[in-house]
Amino acid sequence: PPPAADTFTSLSGPPAAAGPLDIERLAALLYFAAGVTKSKTYPGGAQVFFRAAPSTGALYQTEVYVIAGDVAGLGAGVYHFGPGDFSLRRLREGDFRGAAAGAAADEDMAARPALLVLTGIYWRNTWKYQARGYRHLFWDSGTLLAQLLAAARALDLPARLITGFVDAQLN
């Protein structure tokens, strides 16, 4: 296998390196990064769901949003990914890739077919872990980002990690 640095370098190809993005490849990316991949039913009917990326306490405080612009089979808009029912719920209609690119001062983002944005819901974890919940958010989000990069690589999708942006503009 290639060294890790080579793996991450190869993920940052040009926006059109892998051809057009369609809803099937986007669905595969979401499934292998943040989807429910297994369930177990216990005697009495209680069900436990397992996701592709683990989370501290199985509380899953990291949420995934898709900013779609040029995805075959999916209208331009901002979507929330629901792993429980494996759905995308449109929150805003229209192409917001340029707005996200402006918030990150990275115009290349506007040319990507879609952007995935991770957010955190602190209370999901802090009610149980209190002050440690802050660290857990970063651990969980890092695990999810690693899953996204690995799944993108497997699907031949160019991917880049952007961590700098103006919160108020992106919100």
Side-chain angles (χ1 to χ4, degrees), residues 50-79:
F50 298 87
R51 297 199 15 202
S55 173
T56 51
L59 298 172
Y60 300 101
Q61 61 186 332
T62 304
E63 297 282 311
V64 180
Y65 293 84
V66 176
I67 301 174
D70 189 18
V71 178
L74 183 66
V78 178
Y79 296 84

Side-chain angles (χ1 to χ4, degrees), residues 6-15 17 108 112 157-161:
D6 292 344
T7 301
F8 292 116
T9 302
S10 68
L11 291 172
S12 61
D108 179 54
R112 302 274 173 165
L157 293 170
R160 289 181 36 221
L161 179 60

